[in-house]
Amino acid sequence: MKYRSLALLGALALSAGLTGCSSSDDASDSAGGGRTVLDVWLMRDSVSAEFQKEFETGFEKAHPDIDAKIQIQEWDGIGEKVTAALASNDAPDVIEVGNTQVAQYAQSGGLTDFSGKVSDLGGDAWLKGLAEPGAYEGKQYGIPYYAANRVVIYRTDLFEKAGVDAAAIKTREDWIAATKQLNKGGTQGIYLPGQNWYVLSGFVWDEGGDLATESGGKWKGGLDSPEALRAMDFYQSLQALGKGPKDSDEAQPPQAEVMAGGEVAQIIAVPGGAKVVEEHNPELKGKLGFFPIPGKTAGTPGSVFTGGSDLVVPAVAKHQDEAYTFIKELTGDTWQRKLAPAMSYVPNRTTLADAVAADPGTAAMAVGAAQGHATPNTPQWAAVEAKNPIKEYMTAVLTGQDAAKAAAGASDTITSTLNSGS
């Protein structure tokens, strides 16, 4: 599961109600027998071919008047493609988008507002990390689809050798103590790159802070808050228990490959990273385990960045009612319980976590997902990620520069960037 952070632009100042026009009677939009042809864009790796076939068959059996045509799209270049679709008169009826991208599309009014349907869609149990970025200026445009987040991937053999019980790690203090115990005899207790800002974000949220906050229509960077500074202090303590580089992120070098090539006891990654480790070192097959990132107290797991997708409907889509029917089915209990284990994703609501209980990695994700967050909900956040002052700030602190001064500088950059489009 890759994390979606593409810089996308919203387009087209249009609006439409949920019960807007549906051209089911238009011959050009009808299949044989008067069935409505519903055009749907889902993203690569969102569904398998097997699941897609099963869903289409089940959906059309339950709704024989609708012919669902699912087209799989590639993430590369999807921003421009969605923008063009929203600005056209021939948009698909349903589109899957990254959860943090909804605000960029909703900004100009190009999406259908589902605010009146939240309760009917089970919104009271939605994962906050999907639901909150799916809303913009008080209206719900994105409907949570599925989620993924980081967990701790660990070497069971190295834990056993060091006498560490992963099940006993419930708090940050437990985690630090266990990592110190692991960090002996040539073993790296943890490999944590210095610029893994998604992990830092989780620690910031745990402390009660945020990357940026909005008040009166203006944004302010939050890295210089006392809460965020405490989070960076903890990150520094954890990072020091390994040999991770201070000036690069988890992709440089790929941390799963680092784990595969040495005596590394832990990394923080999505569970799929374990497969990468095994591919590069088959001897580790069956020797990898998972647990949620620990929180400050035993009863609450650590906060995590929620990656994943929401489903949206273009305001100009011709089949608004049928699009809603499709979304209600795909995001409802029955199909979420099938999708999650089939694709190793976290279901869109907390009440469905048991659907992935049999998969250790996904089950660990689901525990963390209950404490999931998204990046600040503004179309300008993509511009912050493009500059990424958070990474520069982290390296500055880890290389001995004054934390408060570096945080203030990064926060100023975030502030100016977020307000540049207001």
Side-chain angles (χ1 to χ4, degrees), residues 203-280:
F203 300 156
V204 172
W205 293 320
D206 279 343
E207 294 289 350
D210 209 336
L211 302 178
T213 55
E214 186 269 338
S215 179
K218 294 294 183 181
W219 285 89
K220 183 180 184 304
L223 293 178
D224 55 344
S225 70
E227 296 84 0
L229 288 170
R230 289 198 301 269
M232 186 62 218
D233 184 63
F234 177 74
Y235 189 101
Q236 185 173 20
S237 298
L238 186 63
Q239 201 268 343
L241 297 178
K243 301 176 183 178
K246 294 177 171 57
D247 59 352
S248 63
D249 60 22
E250 64 271 31
Q252 301 175 339
Q255 63 177 351
E257 295 181 19
V258 174
M259 188 178 204
E263 297 290 289
V264 175
Q266 304 172 87
I267 60 172
I268 303 172
V270 293
K275 294 182 180 179
V276 178
V277 173
E278 293 173 353
E279 288 171 0
H280 283 82

Side-chain angles (χ1 to χ4, degrees), residues 12 30 41 55 85 89 98 123 161 181 188 202 271 290 309 322 335 383 400:
L12 190 63
S30 297
W41 288 0
F55 176 77
N89 293 319
K161 179 181 177 182
Q181 190 172 335
Q188 213 178 143
F290 313 87
S309 292
E322 292 87 346
W335 289 105

